[in-house]
Amino acid sequence: MEDVPFKIADRTFQSRLIVGTGKYPSHAIMKQCHEASGTELVTVAVRRLDLSAKGEAALLHWIDRSKITLLPNTAGCYTAEEAIRTCYLAEELGLTKWVKLEVLGDPKTLFPDVEETLAAARTLVQRGFTVLPYTSDDPVAAKKLEDLGCAAVMPLAAPIGSGLGIRNPHNIQLILEAAKVPIIVDAGVGTASDVAIAMELGCDGVLMNTAIAGAKESVRMAAAMKKAIEAGREAFLAGRIPRKAYGSASSPIEGLVQ
Amino acid sequence: MTPWNMTDIPSMMSQMIEVTVNGESLSIPKGTTVLALLERLNVRSQQVAVEVNTELVKKARHSEHQLRVGDQIEIVTFVGGG
């Protein structure tokens, strides 16, 4: 199968890997991770400025915006209202109308509040934002978000930061079958094989933060994730063999020495 | 938190107003604009977004928007996140 470009709204990306900017050992390591991952789209959060901090280098100083597009998030918001307010702050800060919409419903699992997510998405799309919502791996919710005009839909693999990998590949597959916008697995991947599985299923991309930032060697993991994205995508395009219950010899059965 | 010592400027005491900045109370001279507040706090206007009473005050209006008694001011920036 021939590959198609990874296009979200009006933007085409060479890399199908979206990376976060949180929890790295340092800004310098974050920058190296972004380079090693090949990412062209990174998430950032909006928070109160620490007025007591002196001389701390701004995050944006460590992001090469000639190569990397910012995707501000609404992480930590629990209502549509908070999320919408955050999007306007992000627009003011980053001069972008792109947003990763995240409205949480439970502080323990960090699962999304789909009802609030849908409400926020409806308003934000109407107000001209390019909305990429984090959502559950529910095909009905994913379709509703697409129908509201979201530029992509981002179902979770597992809870944020859990590293549990794709808990329900069947649901992801159902979401993919029905989708007309890019489907990006967001949250829950732990290592390269999780990413490869997402891409083998046919996902358009994967978004991760902790899996890279929290690895013992973050930069090496970032490079591994890049390869996993590419390998998984190639395998998806190549078309895997069907699973069989019994063996099927690779070598000829005839001509064995007697 | 207060970026200047109020005892140095007793003549202004009667014209000071209380506002809240990122959850901390602060006395500022009456008539202080958003831009003047940011300058007092050593914050570059380009690196932040400012809300007053949950309403966004865009950069173009920082120099004209005057703060009032009891205003709740939020100064935010981008930080690392996923």
Side-chain angles (χ1 to χ4, degrees):
Chain A
M1 198 196 296
E2 199 166 325
D3 204 358
V4 290
F6 180 35
K7 195 170 179 211
I8 305 172
D10 58 345
R11 291 285 314 274
T12 301
F13 299 93
Q14 300 303 313
S15 168
R16 293 176 178 270
L17 183 50
I18 305 170
V19 180
T21 56
K23 302 203 283 191
Y24 293 86
S26 68
H27 283 333
I29 290 176
M30 176 194 79
K31 189 176 169 69
Q32 287 177 50
C33 286
H34 289 168
E35 286 165 3
S37 73
T39 189
E40 294 166 304
L41 188 59
V42 303
T43 55
V44 290
V46 177
R47 288 293 180 272
R48 277 178 172 172
L49 182 72
D50 182 358
L51 295 169
S52 62
K54 294 264 186 273
E56 193 179 312
L59 178 75
L60 292 191
H61 177 73
W62 299 90
I63 298 170
D64 180 358
R65 291 182 73 182
S66 70
K67 293 180 188 148
I68 295 176
T69 300
L70 293 184
L71 181 61
N73 70 29
T74 62
C77 291
Y78 280 80
T79 65
E81 191 186 347
E82 285 167 12
I84 292 163
R85 196 176 144 196
T86 304
C87 290
Y88 279 105
L89 288 168
E91 182 187 11
E92 171 80 353
L93 278 169
L95 307 174
T96 175
K97 292 207 88 131
W98 282 49
V99 60
K100 170 184 160 175
L101 175 63
E102 175 180 319
V103 189
L104 301 178
D106 173 28
K108 193 169 178 182
T109 59
L110 302 181
F111 279 141
D113 184 325
V114 174
E115 191 180 359
E116 290 291 311
T117 303
L118 285 163
R122 182 178 286 114
T123 301
L124 289 166
V125 168
Q126 281 169 357
R127 295 186 189 175
F129 282 88
T130 297
V131 183
L132 288 73
Y134 159 72
T135 185
S136 61
D137 59 4
D138 170 5
V140 176
K143 197 68 199 166
K144 284 187 178 180
L145 287 163
E146 178 185 310
D147 290 346
L148 284 176
C150 291
V153 176
M154 307 204 292
L156 54 82
I160 295 169
S162 70
L164 288 171
I166 308 218
R167 295 290 82 198
N168 198 337
H170 186 65
N171 271 24
I172 300 291
Q173 214 151 20
L174 292 174
I175 291 170
L176 285 163
E177 276 174 24
K180 292 188 183 67
V181 295
I183 299 299
I184 298 160
V185 160
D186 176 7
V189 300
T191 189
S193 53
D194 298 332
V195 172
I197 289 169
M199 297 308 291
E200 285 167 15
L201 286 170
C203 290
D204 298 274
V206 179
L207 191 163
M208 71 188 72
N209 187 343
T210 309
I212 292 175
K216 281 183 186 155
E217 292 184 47
S218 302
V219 181
R220 180 170 281 186
M221 186 59 90
M225 292 304 190
K226 181 185 184 184
K227 291 172 187 166
I229 286 270
E230 289 166 1
R233 183 68 184 173
E234 285 295 306
F236 166 71
L237 295 170
R240 60 153 299 148
I241 59 162
R243 290 181 171 87
K244 284 177 243 161
Y246 300 100
S248 170
S250 305
S251 306
I253 295 161
E254 306 82 28
L256 276 170
V257 291
Q258 300 291 322
Chain B
M1 188 66 209
T2 307
W4 67 93
N5 189 336
M6 288 196 300
T7 58
D8 293 342
I9 41 173
S11 61
M12 290 179 68
M13 285 299 284
S14 59
Q15 300 170 348
M16 300 300 275
I17 58 166
E18 286 281 322
V19 295
T20 304
V21 181
N22 287 1
E24 308 263 353
S25 62
L26 186 67
S27 290
I28 56 171
K30 195 179 174 190
T32 297
T33 62
V34 169
L35 185 65
L37 174 69
L38 294 177
E39 283 169 0
R40 284 285 191 186
L41 295 169
N42 279 322
V43 173
R44 297 236 311 270
S45 183
Q46 291 307 311
Q47 290 184 349
V48 295
V50 179
E51 270 185 0
V52 177
N53 303 326
T54 76
E55 291 290 323
L56 179 68
V57 179
K58 292 195 172 192
K59 284 187 181 67
R61 293 192 51 243
H62 282 187
S63 61
E64 61 194 55
H65 187 107
Q66 289 192 1
L67 298 169
R68 296 178 180 190
V69 176
D71 274 351
Q72 301 280 329
I73 301 143
E74 294 284 338
I75 304 174
V76 303
T77 191
F78 280 139
V79 299

